[in-house]
């Protein structure tokens, strides 16, 4: 049964050292507040899963929380590379990490298979690409009906998935609007799911029926964190903080500057701080 909990408690009750965990979001609704709470609680040996790791995984890997990353694109969107991720991969700082790289299609199909309870995903993919040469989890299978050779990858079944969404109703159902990405499948594939939301409303009766609603039985905990996806945007609430992405490239480029920024802006802050961060974005929207 879904619980409405403060974010600190929701993270503590659902995330453990050594878990495989997805903090999913595509372009917007990135669960930054949840990731920051995980950083504050100091989890370790995590397998981080996400189609498009950006700033939050740069921060978590830079803090030494990850032993492995499973992804299909890694970068600071619109800016360039993730410098803390690169430092970990190339130099083993602050610790070496294992890398499992897929295509977007591979990751999307793996989440779909996980949501369906299947052991693997089969699809047309990786043709003419070299990823199978460096990723032993990319296999090929022959269709027993047509003889066609298909790609196969293990399904993704995170121990925990974290997402951010616009609204929850008082029963614990969650509404996601705008670009959905793979959030729905990531929740359905997970053993436990935690959702941060902008607000709680009485019901969704006045909304268009063709919206993505995650039913309450798919979710373990909901935390109300206005602004919880900053610096990404939340459709209908605030825009993308483009300046923050540009600033991050400079911050992450230096190990000492990175540590100082994390201490001042994550470790010594709380989820309550997010509402203040997006006030100027709301005014500009």
């Amino acid at each position: 049964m879904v619980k409405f909990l403060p974010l600190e408690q929701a993270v503590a009750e659902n995330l453990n050292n050594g878990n495989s965990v997805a903090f999913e979001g595509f372009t917007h609704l990135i669960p930054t507040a949840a990731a920051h709470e995980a950083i504050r609680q100091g989890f370790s040996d995590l397998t981080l899963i996400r189609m498009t790791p950006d700033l939050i995984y740069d921060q978590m890997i830079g803090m030494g929380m990850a032993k492995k990353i499973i992804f299909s694109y890694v970068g600071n969107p619109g800016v360039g590379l993730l410098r803390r991720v690169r430092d970990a991969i190339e130099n083993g700082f602050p610790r070496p990490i294992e890398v499992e790289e897929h295509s977007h299609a591979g990751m999307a199909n793996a989440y779909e298979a996980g949501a369906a309870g299947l052991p693997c995903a089969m699809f047309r993919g990786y043709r003419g690409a070299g990823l199978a040469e460096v990723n032993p989890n990319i296999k090929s299978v022959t269709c027993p009906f047509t003889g066609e050779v298909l790609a196969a990858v293990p399904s993704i079944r995170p121990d925990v998935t974290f997402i951010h969404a616009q609204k929850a109703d008082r029963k614990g159902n969650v509404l996601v609007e705008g670009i959905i990405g793979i959030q729905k499948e990531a929740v359905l594939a997970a053993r436990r799911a935690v959702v941060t939301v902008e607000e709680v409303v009485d019901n969704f009766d006045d909304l268009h029926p063709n919206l993505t609603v995650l039913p309450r039985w798919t979710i373990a905990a909901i935390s109300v964190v206005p602004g919880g996806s900053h610096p990404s945007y939340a459709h209908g609430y605030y825009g993308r903080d483009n300046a923050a992405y540009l600033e991050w490239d400079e911050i992450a480029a230096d190990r000492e500057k990175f540590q100082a920024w994390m201490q001042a802006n994550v470790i010594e802050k709380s989820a309550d701080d997010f509402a203040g961060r997006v006030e100027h974005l709301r005014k500009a929207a």
Side-chain angles (χ1 to χ4, degrees), residues 142-157:
T142 301
C143 174
F145 303 104
T146 66
E148 182 180 5
V149 177
L150 303 170
V153 295
S155 62
I156 292 178
R157 295 294 308 276

Side-chain angles (χ1 to χ4, degrees), residues 2 18 20-21 33 38 46 51 54 80 101 122 126 129 148 170 185 203 218 229 235 237-238 254 268 271 274:
V2 63
S20 61
V21 55
L46 301 176
M51 284 185 66
D54 64 356
E101 184 176 2
M122 290 179 285
Y126 296 110
E148 182 180 5
R170 301 198 185 281
E185 290 80 2
N203 55 61
T218 65
S229 67
H235 175 73
Y237 287 79
Y238 46 88
D254 182 84
E268 296 178 3
F274 274 83

Side-chain angles (χ1 to χ4, degrees), residues 184-198:
K184 177 183 69 175
E185 290 80 2
V187 165
L188 298 178
R191 292 168 177 83
R192 301 179 299 281
V194 176
V195 183
T196 54
V197 297
E198 292 292 325

Side-chain angles (χ1 to χ4, degrees), residues 56 64 69 85 130 146 200 208 218 266 271-272:
I56 58 175
I69 182 171
V85 173
T146 66
V200 175
H208 192 282
T218 65
V266 179
D272 295 336

Side-chain angles (χ1 to χ4, degrees), residues 73-106:
Y73 164 83
V74 60
N76 184 344
V79 180
L81 54 84
L82 291 182
R83 297 181 182 273
R84 293 297 91 225
V85 173
R86 183 169 183 170
D87 203 6
I89 293 172
E90 293 186 349
N91 304 310
F93 183 88
R95 60 172 290 180
I97 61 169
E98 183 182 349
V99 171
E100 183 177 328
E101 184 176 2
H102 290 276
S103 67
H104 277 345

Side-chain angles (χ1 to χ4, degrees), residues 23-44:
F23 290 82
E24 270 296 353
F26 188 79
T27 303
H28 88 322
L29 296 178
I30 295 169
T32 310
H36 284 187
E37 184 56 44
I39 292 170
R40 281 190 289 273
Q41 295 189 26
F43 292 98
S44 62

Side-chain angles (χ1 to χ4, degrees), residues 15 18 36 45 47 54 56 63 67 75 82 96 105 107 119 145 152 163 165 198 211 224 226 235 249 258-259 262 269:
L15 184 59
H36 284 187
D45 294 325
T47 295
D54 64 356
I56 58 175
M63 296 298 286
K67 66 178 180 182
L82 291 182
M107 288 285 288
F145 303 104
I163 67 166
E198 292 292 325
L211 293 169
V224 182
H235 175 73
D249 189 56
F258 164 77
Q259 288 288 343
M262 293 296 292
K269 299 291 185 179

